Amino acid sequence: LKPVAAPEPKAKSGGLLRSSAVVGLMTLLSRVLGLVRDVTLAIFVGPGVAADAFFIAFKLPNFLRRLFAEGAFSQAFVPVLSEYREQRSFTDVRALVDRVAGVLGGSVLLVSGLAVVGAPVLVMLFAPGFIGDADKFPLTVELIRITFPYLFFISLTGFAGAVLNSYGRFAVPAFTPVLLNLSLISAALLSSRGFDNPAYALAWGVFVAGAAQLTFQLPFLQRLRLLPQPKWDRKDEGVRRIIALMIPALFGVSVSQINLLLDTVLASFLPTGSISWLYFSDRLAELPLGVFAIAIATVILPSLSRDQARASQESFSATMDWALRLVLLIGLPAALALVILSQPILATLFQYRETAPRDIVMSSYSLCAYSAGLLAFMLIKILAPGYYARQDTRTPVKIGIVAMVANMVMNIALVVPLHLFWQLGHVGLAAATALSAWLNAGLLLRGLRRAGVYHPGPWRGYALRLLLAAAVMTTLLLALNPDFARWLDWSWWQRGWRLLALCGAGLGAYLAVLWAAGLRLGHLRGPGTAL
């Protein structure tokens, strides 16, 4: 008798809106804890030498995480894994998972080891302004040697999350980042005990968080019978295809992150505090980006990959159109609110103890600049899967090169003329990043249209509804927002409830206008519904 092959575990069913909501809620929990983390850092560390050094040491492995985990790797791995699930046996799927785990894990372990040894070189490359600084340079080197192994753990965590997402288990990978925030909050609270410099406590918190996130996901892979037994086999057909897709995607999908690193390089030449100002404003701008755009992108990539494998072009286009409409529905009011309420939000969250009012004002300027590009950042997250689901990595690379060059040119144009006015320099960095993001998004959209894979539905009526609702919301927020001096006079709880009231009023006005204009929840449930 021939042995009977084990049946493939079934993917969980559920609409795209429901799956996006699950990912969004879990990501919201993570981002809220991320804000708590940043508030804790502002209270116990504050902008200064320790904070600037830690943010550099954390940003470098975090940047590579975007490449090896949910960034380029995920965009290359998920389409191939989806194709294996559709066209091959479960045994082949397990073999692919084993070999990808081996090659990815071995490669990232090597990169992490080289980074630990070459930490001084990394500081000279990515924070050249620290060279010659007797405090910042050696501290940053030591912190990098503690934080960089995080890359190994989080890359395998991203691999596990990609497998779980492909089988419809979206909640677990979306919840996992919560562990990072809990670890850093605990580290910040304990930083005064046993650590002369709080930055060391934060660095060890990053290390512990990486190990915890990977360990958390392993039992869920075991339930799918896909817990990998890593094997190094670069000659495997699936591995070679993923590498071929990933190499150009390493650049194409990470353009925004590379732009942020360029900002960091230039900011290292600005006065102490500039890196922290950019960090706090970037974190707030990333809140709607992470909660909504990344959640939607996470859900649509497996769907688009299956549509492509089945040659269902109509469904592919409908899914893209639905995702773009939903992102604009959320992103437009979020961007406007961040601009109008930039100082109240930053003061409510961060203006305590070690953080001075000037830090809030400086951060608000860069937050406004980042917010001007928020919609573009969100659109990139939605448009990029349209290429990677079709296993097209060349086009995003070409677009990424154009956007990166534009960002570098705009950095010089916007920052150097302001160099004499130190308090404005970091704003130019944020503005250049936002402008290059719009260029990136526009070229991605044009490429999908020209390829004939995305055909927009009727947009005029929908766009008018959004603009009308956004105009009403903006007018209301401007009328109700007190002078910034009053926000500084209030206690934390007064700031908190007033900010919540402002946000609630703005959101209520936005939704009320949309309802009056005829938009209903049923219009948002998924592709094919009339928005």
Side-chain angles (χ1 to χ4, degrees):
L1 295 177
K2 293 182 179 180
V4 178
E8 179 182 7
K10 295 181 179 179
K12 285 189 176 181
S13 60
L16 291 180
L17 181 62
R18 182 186 305 172
S19 298
S20 299
V22 170
V23 177
L25 286 173
M26 293 298 176
T27 308
L28 177 61
L29 174 61
S30 173
R31 297 291 172 150
V32 169
L33 283 174
L35 286 178
V36 174
R37 174 194 78 192
D38 292 336
V39 170
T40 307
L41 293 180
I43 292 175
F44 289 94
V45 181
V49 172
D52 284 359
F54 170 72
F55 290 146
I56 292 291
F58 184 38
K59 182 172 287 187
L60 292 180
N62 215 32
F63 161 69
L64 291 178
R65 171 181 69 87
R66 305 290 176 96
L67 305 182
F68 289 110
E70 76 271 15
F73 168 75
S74 180
Q75 302 288 11
F77 176 55
V78 170
V80 175
L81 179 62
S82 298
E83 182 181 312
Y84 268 57
R85 288 188 54 217
E86 291 291 332
Q87 302 176 4
R88 305 197 185 194
S89 68
F90 182 58
T91 301
D92 291 335
V93 172
R94 284 197 295 195
L96 176 69
V97 168
D98 290 343
R99 284 157 176 78
V100 172
V103 174
L104 176 67
S107 301
V108 179
L109 184 61
L110 176 61
V111 171
S112 299
L114 291 174
V116 170
V117 174
V121 178
L122 290 177
V123 178
M124 287 187 284
L125 286 175
F126 295 104
F130 288 6
I131 298 175
D133 191 311
D135 295 323
K136 287 184 179 180
F137 187 86
L139 177 60
T140 308
V141 169
E142 293 182 20
L143 295 181
I144 285 177
R145 287 176 170 155
I146 300 172
T147 60
F148 228 95
Y150 171 77
L151 174 64
F152 171 77
F153 295 120
I154 202 61
S155 295
L156 291 180
T157 300
F159 160 77
V163 175
L164 292 170
N165 286 336
S166 295
Y167 282 86
R169 274 65 170 182
F170 295 107
V172 174
F175 175 80
T176 302
V178 168
L179 301 177
L180 170 64
N181 294 323
L182 290 176
S183 179
L184 285 176
I185 291 170
S186 301
L189 293 176
L190 297 174
S191 61
S192 60
R193 301 180 182 180
F195 294 92
D196 295 332
N197 191 321
Y200 288 104
L202 298 176
W204 282 112
V206 171
F207 183 94
V208 171
Q213 289 178 98
L214 175 59
T215 304
F216 173 71
Q217 292 198 354
L218 296 182
F220 298 95
L221 284 182
Q222 181 62 45
R223 292 182 188 179
L224 293 175
R225 304 194 307 281
L226 289 173
L227 185 65
Q229 299 177 2
K231 298 178 182 178
W232 181 273
D233 185 3
R234 288 191 58 186
K235 295 182 179 180
D236 178 79
E237 176 196 356
V239 171
R240 293 175 66 181
R241 287 177 57 195
I242 292 169
I243 292 174
L245 292 170
M246 184 177 173
I247 289 175
L250 284 170
F251 190 90
V253 80
S254 62
V255 168
S256 62
Q257 296 305 310
I258 294 173
N259 287 341
L260 289 175
L261 274 182
L262 291 175
D263 292 350
T264 301
V265 170
L266 292 174
S268 70
F269 291 100
L270 300 179
T272 296
S274 295
I275 293 176
S276 301
W277 299 334
L278 285 168
Y279 174 81
F280 289 134
S281 55
D282 176 56
R283 291 293 301 165
L284 280 177
E286 281 202 354
L287 180 60
L289 178 66
V291 172
F292 302 112
I294 295 178
I296 297 170
T298 299
V299 170
I300 66 170
L301 178 58
S303 178
L304 291 173
S305 300
R306 288 192 295 269
D307 290 339
Q308 181 65 26
R310 298 168 182 167
S312 178
Q313 293 302 317
E314 183 178 347
S315 178
F316 187 102
S317 179
T319 299
M320 286 294 304
D321 200 63
W322 170 82
L324 290 172
R325 290 169 184 255
L326 193 58
V327 158
L328 288 176
L329 176 73
I330 299 166
L332 180 60
L336 291 171
L338 283 175
V339 171
I340 298 169
L341 302 179
S342 58
Q343 291 184 349
I345 292 173
L346 287 163
T348 301
L349 293 175
F350 303 123
Q351 207 274 298
Y352 307 102
R353 289 179 58 176
E354 300 296 330
T355 304
R358 178 175 178 271
D359 295 317
I360 299 303
V361 174
M362 294 298 102
S363 295
S364 71
Y365 294 156
S366 51
L367 176 57
C368 289
Y370 278 135
S371 299
L374 177 60
L375 266 178
F377 298 137
M378 299 178 80
L379 289 173
I380 291 170
K381 295 297 182 184
I382 301 303
L383 294 167
Y387 291 90
Y388 296 111
R390 299 168 58 239
Q391 301 185 27
D392 172 14
T393 55
R394 294 184 180 274
T395 304
V397 167
K398 295 176 183 178
I399 293 173
I401 292 173
V402 172
M404 169 131 15
V405 171
N407 183 75
M408 294 173 66
V409 171
M410 286 185 285
N411 270 337
I412 296 173
L414 297 177
V415 177
V416 173
L418 301 177
H419 196 63
L420 296 176
F421 305 97
W422 288 110
Q423 71 273 22
L424 298 179
H426 69 293
V427 183
L429 295 174
T433 300
L435 290 171
S436 66
W438 276 111
L439 177 62
N440 195 349
L443 293 176
L444 286 173
L445 178 60
R446 187 181 69 170
L448 290 176
R449 294 291 308 279
R450 286 186 172 182
V453 296
Y454 171 53
H455 307 284
W459 271 79
R460 179 175 299 178
Y462 180 69
L464 288 175
R465 293 173 184 173
L466 293 188
L467 291 174
L468 177 61
V472 173
M473 183 199 76
T474 299
T475 303
L476 182 66
L477 289 180
L478 289 172
L480 296 180
N481 185 23
D483 293 335
F484 180 54
R486 297 182 63 186
W487 287 95
L488 295 177
D489 291 336
W490 289 329
S491 62
W492 69 267
W493 66 269
Q494 289 177 311
R495 297 176 188 174
W497 77 259
R498 290 175 187 275
L499 182 61
L500 287 175
L502 269 176
C503 292
L507 178 62
Y510 183 74
L511 294 178
V513 174
L514 289 177
W515 179 271
L519 186 66
R520 299 293 183 267
L521 181 61
H523 298 150
L524 309 173
R525 294 194 182 280
T529 54
L531 282 174

